[in-house]
Amino acid sequence: MRAISAIIALAGAVSIIGVAEAATCLVHRTNSGGGEKIVSPYGVDRTGRASAGWHQGLDITNSAGMGDPILSGTNGTVNFSYQARGAGNYATVTSGDMRFLYMHMRRVLTELNGKSVSAGQQIGEMGCSGLANCPVHLHLGAMMRGDALQGSGAAGRVWREGAGKSGTPLTADQIKSAMPTAWYLVNPEPFLDHQIPFDGSGGQPAVYGPQMGGWRSQTLPRTCSPDQTTFENPRLASTTGTGSSDAALDSQATNRSGSEGFAATMAGQERRGVVVELAKQTTAELAQTAQSSALAYQAQMDSAMAHLLVEEVDGATR
């Protein structure tokens, strides 16, 4: 009965968890699209492979390459910077609580600087400015305003604007106390208007893996909210190879139900431990996915708690 009371208490605690808030999403593709793929994921440590430090955006290539029109994915105000170190010619388009970055362009449409643009409007051309001997690509970044970030439920790799690629990702507590008017880099994947495949030769992970949430063949589904994967500060990518350390794998075990690490943890636990882990996962998943309907959220919560109660009672009678 103590265990049942504990689960009921957990249900009460979960019922007051706020649903993650959605932010402005891209509503238009950013390039011509043919042969589009991501060659470098967000949030990986590229030290020893490319530019030192964390990668704070998505590198996107396509079949058109050099000169392909770069299009704003949202309505908003565009501002340009020219020949910035490491970024080249780039644009920011600010739309409400989101600011999207378009980097390494060969050319930008300077006449638009400081003006409003519409989703789908050209703002420049694809290139590789700011880097030496780079493949032609678009570095797409996403920044969320601090007040939106605070209520988003984000717990992944997040950096404050200007922290630099060597800066340590923020902890969960730092994210919760984000400065309201500051901007914070988040994973662009859930904000894309469509899912994009990763470049995985022979079905293997991209060269810069492993990434937030583990390897996947295409970007995360569109949620208009930061990825909820609870990595705080692990440097998952080895600086000498593509493998992860044992500690990094262990950290993944408690963060995503679909990961191999989590499956291994579940397999090695007693029944009671499995119930507790399922409760943790259910809590996280419901908080992330139940944005559409408060009633649906409550129904899922009731169902999940009922399942856990049955499991616990069944286990107690054995």
Side-chain angles (χ1 to χ4, degrees):
M1 292 302 293
R2 286 183 181 177
I4 294 175
S5 297
I7 292 179
I8 293 174
L10 173 64
V14 172
S15 67
I16 63 173
I17 293 176
V19 177
E21 296 179 6
T24 303
C25 241
L26 295 175
V27 296
H28 197 283
R29 67 170 54 253
T30 60
N31 61 81
S32 60
E36 187 180 37
K37 60 186 177 182
I38 291 176
V39 295
S40 185
Y42 173 87
V44 296
D45 180 7
R46 305 199 303 183
T47 303
R49 297 187 177 90
S51 54
W54 299 96
H55 192 225
Q56 296 169 336
L58 297 172
D59 283 352
I60 304 172
T61 63
N62 65 13
S63 301
M66 184 70 75
D68 189 43
I70 297 300
L71 314 173
S72 175
T74 61
N75 300 332
T77 302
V78 63
N79 291 99
F80 297 113
S81 291
Y82 311 98
Q83 293 303 322
R85 182 178 180 181
N89 301 318
Y90 75 93
T92 62
V93 178
T94 303
S95 180
D97 48 15
M98 293 296 297
R99 176 174 288 172
F100 295 97
L101 295 87
Y102 304 80
M103 292 170 52
H104 307 308
M105 288 189 281
R106 178 176 74 171
R107 182 175 75 91
V108 297
L109 303 185
T110 55
E111 65 273 17
L112 297 176
N113 193 41
K115 297 182 179 179
S116 295
V117 294
S118 301
Q121 185 172 347
Q122 184 177 358
I123 56 176
E125 297 176 355
M126 187 180 289
C128 63
S129 62
L131 299 172
N133 303 316
C134 72
V136 176
H137 70 283
L138 168 67
H139 173 106
L140 178 67
M143 291 193 292
M144 178 174 275
R145 202 174 55 213
D147 51 1
L149 182 67
Q150 288 174 340
S152 69
R157 293 176 202 162
V158 173
W159 289 266
R160 184 176 174 182
E161 180 184 21
K165 293 185 292 184
S166 61
T168 303
L170 301 182
T171 65
D173 286 342
Q174 288 172 325
I175 291 174
K176 291 177 183 176
S177 59
M179 297 181 64
T181 58
W183 293 91
Y184 294 82
L185 287 151
V186 297
N187 186 359
E189 292 179 53
F191 299 92
L192 299 173
D193 75 299
H194 65 286
Q195 291 181 278
I196 304 174
F198 285 96
D199 179 24
S201 177
Q204 298 301 310
V207 67
Y208 296 125
Q211 63 202 81
M212 284 180 59
W215 165 248
R216 48 190 172 272
S217 61
Q218 62 179 355
T219 55
L220 295 168
R222 173 189 173 94
T223 64
C224 302
S225 184
D227 181 23
Q228 302 285 315
T229 305
T230 54
F231 291 106
E232 292 194 2
N233 290 332
R235 279 188 178 267
L236 289 185
S238 164
T239 57
T240 58
T242 58
S244 300
S245 67
D246 290 341
L249 290 176
D250 288 343
S251 73
Q252 292 185 48
T254 57
N255 292 320
R256 176 161 292 218
S257 59
S259 71
E260 293 179 0
F262 181 85
T265 298
M266 293 285 277
Q269 289 201 43
E270 296 294 332
R271 183 183 182 86
R272 186 177 301 278
V274 171
V275 171
V276 171
E277 289 300 327
L278 283 172
K280 291 179 181 177
Q281 290 299 316
T282 301
T283 298
E285 290 169 6
L286 288 177
Q288 179 181 5
T289 61
Q291 299 178 35
S292 60
S293 168
L295 290 176
Y297 176 83
Q298 189 60 53
Q300 292 180 63
M301 191 68 257
D302 292 344
S303 175
M305 289 303 106
H307 173 73
L308 292 176
L309 285 169
V310 169
E311 286 289 300
E312 190 63 22
V313 171
D314 182 51
T317 58
R318 292 187 178 184

